[in-house]
Amino acid sequence: MNNKRMDLSHWRTMPIGGVITQPGNSAQYETGGWRALRPVVDMEKCTHCMICWIYCPDSSVLVEDMKFVAFDLAHCKGCGICAFECPPKAIQMVQEGHFTRES
Amino acid sequence: MTLPVETIPVGLSGSQAVAQAMRQINPDVVAAYPITPSTNIVEKFSEFAANGEVDTEFLAVESEHSAMSACIAAAAAGARAHTVTSSQGLAFMWEALYVASGLRLPIVLHAANRALSAPLSIFGEHSDTMGARDSGWVQLYAENGQEAYDNALMAVRIAEHPDVMLPVLETQDGYTVSHSMERIELLPDDAARRFVGAYQPRYSLLDTRNPISLGNIVSPAHLFEMKRQVAEAMDKALEVIASVGQEFQHLTGRSHGLIEGYCLEDAEVVMVLLGATAGTARVAVDSLRAQGKPVGLLKIRSFRPFPVQQVAEALQGKAAVAAMDKAFSFGASGGPLFQDVCAALHRNGICIPLVNYVYGIGGREAMPTDLVQVFSDLERGAERGWSETSIRYLALRE
């Protein structure tokens, strides 16, 4: 089995045993649509401690140059662990319905 | 005929014979929990491990569920992993059996058949392995200790064959075979090792150059196809079992195919069965043949995959057939073997009287006289027709 694109079109072409040979391909599956609550950051309070990044179970805290940038809303499931763990309480969980599709 | 190797004759029980096979195979990992009547297999093997006669990582786990889980993990890491069990132990592994076959891991399970509780019985019958017949494991039934030894070696080649990549269960009747001593022809160690060969895992979690993810969640869009692959592998296993058997025959002179007939060709009535009772049935056949009765025996070695075509061809034209089940399949038309034989005949448009006998439950011995009675029933039925073909219970106090 190589590290190559899997052909899932037919039982004769797909890898056996449900083995996934493409590392990290779970990123292709967008779980953001499961969210009922969305994390929102008050950047005045954020100290860029990275604790939300450490705790996020879905690797959905985007970081650049050791600074918080955004949440990956295509994958964030709204579990609220980041808000719970944030030391300065900079993160609020807001009803997803408050946001329009475009935002 | 000269054979390539000179075998070593030893007096061994069926359990000890399989333990010898395991020693020669020298699996990377054996994870097992003891249970009667297969205990002696793993007990003997653990001695080999303790004495340094094998390189095996021997895991004395806390339960059979752990044993199969450990084997799955080891096999997924590219190791040759074997285990040993019976009865409740096999039943305890049940959910993991499907994991092993679904992940296409060539684990080998060496079993000694035993009744399933409750009520509790330690004695031999086929309920345990029959409970696993839909799990995607290849199942080979041995008639005696020699076949158990042979099957244990061939199981590795069958499981690891690239067209198969399925776990294999090779079994012997509890007590009748596991605890009876016979003359066993062992292969010399180097010949056994050459035959078994080295394991080439298809994939491994420890291969960091080709990283994989195993045991993933699968949506309705894909699971059906993945299980279809398992069905394909089972079909391929029919050819592989036959070809590995042929290769083994060149080595040892002993032939092991999918089925074996005894006085079958010109028989008018036939008994179909699995395992040790075939030995008793040969005695019954011989005594009836001596009286000129045209009786015969069809022994099935590979129960999964079931050799549908071979069974149908073997039984075509017979006047009556008895399918002997050493297990109940409660609420069904008959026992597990009966169901498969019936379907094999029907699929091939063969309509002959097929009667089901359930026998041997809880270790009740099937005596030659009992089997002679079955042949008489078949003869009488073939002559006069059948008033009823419901399940019959051999030697049951009704």
Side-chain angles (χ1 to χ4, degrees):
Chain A
M1 293 227 167
N2 313 350
N3 192 350
K4 58 181 182 179
R5 186 143 194 87
M6 300 182 295
D7 181 354
L8 301 178
S9 57
H10 192 273
W11 63 264
R12 288 191 197 277
T13 56
M14 56 177 65
I16 60 166
V19 173
I20 293 178
T21 52
Q22 285 174 257
N25 76 338
S26 57
Q28 292 165 24
Y29 193 81
E30 300 203 337
T31 49
W34 302 8
R35 210 168 42 240
L37 294 170
R38 181 187 292 202
V40 175
V41 178
D42 178 351
M43 291 311 294
E44 304 282 300
K45 291 185 181 167
C46 174
T47 61
H48 303 281
C49 66
M50 301 295 124
I51 286 197
C52 57
W53 174 82
I54 291 170
Y55 273 96
C56 176
D58 286 305
S59 306
S60 292
V61 176
L62 302 174
V63 163
E64 254 169 63
D65 296 325
M66 290 298 292
K67 289 203 183 313
F68 171 91
V69 172
F71 295 105
D72 173 5
L73 294 179
H75 292 100
C76 167
K77 295 193 193 106
C79 70
I81 289 174
C82 55
F84 186 86
E85 297 292 341
C86 175
K89 294 287 159 233
I91 302 173
Q92 299 301 312
M93 298 305 292
V94 179
Q95 287 286 334
E96 185 68 19
H98 287 166
F99 302 91
T100 62
R101 287 247 178 88
E102 292 79 46
S103 58
Chain B
M1 168 172 77
T2 34
L3 295 168
V5 292
E6 198 168 313
T7 56
I8 305 156
V10 198
L12 293 174
S13 68
S15 301
Q16 291 164 343
V18 170
Q20 284 295 332
M22 288 176 71
R23 181 186 62 78
Q24 293 174 324
I25 293 165
N26 192 12
D28 297 308
V29 172
V30 167
Y33 189 90
I35 184 169
T36 304
S38 58
T39 315
N40 300 80
I41 301 174
V42 66
E43 187 180 47
K44 192 70 200 166
F45 183 80
S46 73
E47 276 180 41
F48 298 141
N51 293 338
E53 293 177 62
V54 290
D55 305 306
T56 310
E57 184 78 37
F58 185 86
L59 302 172
V61 287
E62 67 274 20
S63 78
E64 291 88 347
H65 184 270
S66 299
M68 184 51 61
S69 302
C71 285
I72 286 165
R80 199 174 250 170
H82 287 206
T83 189
V84 176
T85 197
S86 310
S87 180
Q88 308 307 113
L90 181 61
F92 198 5
M93 290 176 178
W94 191 77
E95 62 134 355
L97 297 177
Y98 286 76
V99 175
S101 65
L103 294 182
R104 306 296 297 279
L105 298 170
I107 297 166
V108 177
L109 191 157
H110 306 278
N113 286 107
R114 164 183 154 180
L116 284 170
S117 302
L120 202 151
S121 167
I122 58 168
F123 298 102
E125 41 136 294
H126 295 162
S127 304
D128 51 1
T129 51
M130 286 303 166
R133 61 192 157 130
D134 293 334
S135 63
W137 281 63
V138 168
Q139 286 197 5
L140 301 174
Y141 285 74
E143 180 182 335
N144 49 47
Q146 183 68 70
E147 285 192 14
Y149 169 79
D150 295 347
N151 285 349
L153 295 175
M154 286 186 271
V156 183
R157 290 287 303 278
I158 295 161
E160 296 175 6
H161 193 284
D163 290 346
V164 178
M165 292 298 283
L166 285 178
V168 173
L169 184 155
E170 63 84 7
T171 189
Q172 56 183 289
D173 284 74
Y175 281 110
T176 315
V177 179
S178 65
H179 285 61
S180 298
M181 185 170 283
E182 295 169 33
R183 176 196 168 108
I184 308 286
E185 299 284 341
L186 295 180
L187 282 172
D189 286 359
D190 58 337
R193 289 196 179 117
R194 268 198 313 275
F195 175 79
V196 165
Y199 177 33
Q200 315 284 349
R202 178 81 64 89
Y203 53 79
S204 164
L205 287 169
L206 294 180
D207 181 359
T208 49
R209 286 163 306 177
N210 295 297
I212 56 158
S213 180
L214 199 63
N216 305 291
I217 189 167
V218 176
S219 71
H222 296 114
L223 187 71
F224 204 164
E225 280 72 19
M226 291 169 185
K227 294 297 185 180
R228 173 65 182 88
Q229 292 175 330
V230 174
E232 181 74 4
M234 264 293 183
D235 287 342
K236 289 269 155 61
L238 284 166
E239 300 155 31
V240 170
I241 292 168
S243 66
V244 169
Q246 269 166 13
E247 194 184 320
F248 196 80
Q249 181 174 10
H250 291 312
L251 194 58
T252 62
R254 291 190 298 277
S255 142
H256 295 303
L258 297 161
I259 60 172
E260 186 192 318
Y262 184 68
C263 300
L264 182 61
E265 286 255 350
D266 64 337
E268 284 175 18
V269 298
V270 177
M271 179 182 289
V272 186
L273 44 60
L274 296 157
T277 311
T280 317
R282 289 174 206 274
V283 172
V285 167
D286 286 348
S287 73
L288 288 169
R289 281 278 178 170
Q291 299 165 35
K293 312 247 178 190
V295 301
L297 176 65
L298 175 61
K299 182 185 89 175
I300 296 179
R301 172 170 169 256
S302 169
F303 181 69
R304 284 292 180 269
F306 193 78
V308 173
Q309 281 314 113
Q310 290 82 355
V311 167
E313 280 161 23
L315 297 179
Q316 179 137 49
K318 302 306 180 193
V321 176
M324 310 294 291
D325 270 296
K326 213 173 186 183
F328 278 92
S329 179
F330 295 108
S333 54
L337 182 60
F338 168 84
Q339 292 170 38
D340 274 308
V341 174
C342 200
L345 294 176
H346 188 272
R347 181 170 293 170
N348 286 274
I350 298 170
C351 188
I352 56 179
L354 173 66
V355 188
N356 186 207
Y357 287 82
V358 174
Y359 76 100
I361 299 299
R364 182 165 302 181
E365 302 283 358
M367 307 302 284
T369 44
D370 298 322
L371 303 183
V372 164
Q373 184 61 51
V374 171
F375 281 119
S376 310
D377 293 347
L378 285 177
E379 254 190 304
R380 202 176 327 114
E383 267 173 61
R384 304 180 204 169
W386 306 84
S387 57
E388 46 73 37
T389 48
S390 58
I391 304 168
R392 298 173 185 198
Y393 302 103
L394 196 62
L396 173 75
R397 294 189 295 276
E398 298 248 36

